[in-house]
Amino acid sequence: MKPMNAPRDIDLGGILVDPFVRYLFLALVILMAIRFVVGRLGLRSMFANPPLAEAALYVCILVSLVAFWL
């Protein structure tokens, strides 16, 4: 079994950014794609509180990214 390497900090102009920020942005991109598909299919009306459902979906996407890619 190959040992896991710890993710490294990202250097943006001398500012070190935690690798977790990558997961935040990636989860946001995935959420935007899912929002587009759900909007095109007209499924947004299925939810009683769509913003709350989107927030919960964002958290689920973020947790799965961290759990499977860390």
Side-chain angles (χ1 to χ4, degrees):
M1 186 171 185
K2 190 175 180 181
M4 290 179 52
N5 294 333
R8 297 182 183 184
D9 290 341
I10 304 165
D11 184 16
L12 294 176
I15 299 172
L16 293 178
V17 180
D18 192 49
F20 183 69
V21 175
R22 281 186 282 183
Y23 298 124
L24 291 173
F25 286 121
L26 184 58
L28 186 63
V29 169
I30 294 170
L31 178 68
M32 292 299 165
I34 291 174
R35 281 183 65 189
F36 177 75
V37 171
V38 168
R40 296 288 284 177
L41 294 177
L43 300 176
R44 191 170 164 92
S45 62
M46 284 182 20
F47 302 102
N49 192 349
L52 182 62
E54 289 178 6
L57 182 60
Y58 179 76
V59 170
C60 291
I61 293 168
L62 182 61
V63 166
S64 62
L65 285 175
V66 170
F68 294 118
W69 283 0
L70 192 68

